Amino acid sequence: MNTLLDNDLYKFTMMQAVWLKYPKARVRYQFINRRREDVFTEEAVHIIRERIMRLADCCLTEGELQFLAELPFIRFDFIEFLRGFTLSAEDVKVEFEDGHLHLWIEGTWVNTILWEVPLMAIISEVYFEVVDTNWTSDLSGYAKKTAEKGRRLSAEGCNFFDFGTRRRRSYAYQDAVVAAFNDVGGTFGGTSNLHFAMKYGLRPIGTMAHEWIMGHAGLGRVETANQVALDAWLEVYQGQLDTALTDTYTTEFFLQNIRGRLAQTYDALRHDSECPLGFADKVLQFYADEGIDPAEKGIVFSDSLNVDKAVEINRHVAGRTKAWFGIGTHFTNDFGDSCALNIVIKLYEVDGVKVAKISDNPIKASGDPLAVQRSLEAIQAAAVKLA
C-alpha cells in the first residue's frame, strides 16, 4: 500500500464527522480472527509490521486531496486538515503468540480511524503471500471470471458495487476486479475504495459503519446511541449520505428507535446480518406501518453476498423497494478451497468506556464480554419501554 486513499470512503466520512464533533475522543480497536484455525507465522507477522511502518510514511498527494475536495460532502477545512496528515505506527500494537495474531489500535479517534481497512487488507494480503500459498495467481483468468459476474448481475438488474478492500487477496486482484467491472459497465455503480474510484473515474460509495453508532454508545448510552448517532450524522451531512446501518444493536431495536422523523429522513437502510429476505420483509412492513411508501426508500445489502444471493434478493424485493448490493469477498477473494480470512477490526473502547456490537447474528457480536452483556440488558430494558 502506498497511498492513504487505498481505503474505503466510509472511513473518511466518519473521520470528517469525528473531526468536527469529537476531536479529543480517545479510542481502542481490537483485531478479531473469527476462524481461529487460520494461524499465522513469524515471517508473516514480521512482514505485517514492516508494511504498517511503510503505510505510516504515506500522506495524501495534491491530486488525491483535489479528488476528495470534489466530493460534494467533503468540507474545505477538512481537506486542509488532511493536508500533511499521516498515520502513526506507534498507535498499532502487534503481538504474536502460538500462531495467533493479536493487534490493537489506540489513540485519538480522529487520528486512528483510517487504520482499520488498510490494516485488514495488509493482513489478508500477507497471509496469502507467505502462509496459504496453495493457490495459483492468474489475474487474466480472474478478470474474465469477474466480468462474467458483472454481466450476470447486470442481466438481472442488480445495482451492485465493489466493497472488497478489507479482505482482498491483494491490491492487484482488487484492481483487476474494478477494471473488469468498469469495462463491463451495465449496472455496476462504483467502488467503496477511494483510490480505485479515482483511478477509474468511478463513484466512491459509502456512508457510516457500526463504529459510528458504537462510538456514541461509549460517549453516551447504548439506549440512545442509534438516535444520537443518526442525528449527529444529519447535523454534519445535512441530508447527504443518508443511508443508515441497522444492526449495531439489532435491527428490531433500531427500527423502534427511528420511528417517525428519522424513518422519514433517511432514504435507505443497510443490511449487514440476519436473513436478507426476512430483513427486507421486516423493513418494508415497518415503512408501511409508518405510512411511508417503501418504493420511495431503499435497502443496501452487504452481508457476505455472492451473485446468486444478490439475484435471489433482487427478485424478492423487485417492485417493492429500491435495492443495491455491496459485494466484497466474493469479488476480491474468490479462490475456491483457498478461503478468504474471516477477520474484522472493531471499536472496543471510547474514552475508557468499553463498547460492543450486538448484531442480528450472534457470531458477529464483538466487544468485551461484560460490555456485550450490559448492552444486551440495556437494549432489552429500553425495548420494553418503547413497545
Side-chain angles (χ1 to χ4, degrees), residues 191-208:
T191 174
S192 61
N193 185 292
L194 284 159
H195 167 71
F196 290 120
M198 179 179 173
K199 179 176 180 179
Y200 290 102
L202 296 168
R203 175 189 174 193
I205 305 297
T207 52
M208 67 181 75

Side-chain angles (χ1 to χ4, degrees), residues 14-26:
M14 288 192 300
M15 184 187 189
Q16 177 174 249
V18 169
W19 172 74
L20 281 168
K21 298 188 68 62
Y22 316 113
K24 295 182 180 180
R26 292 190 62 83

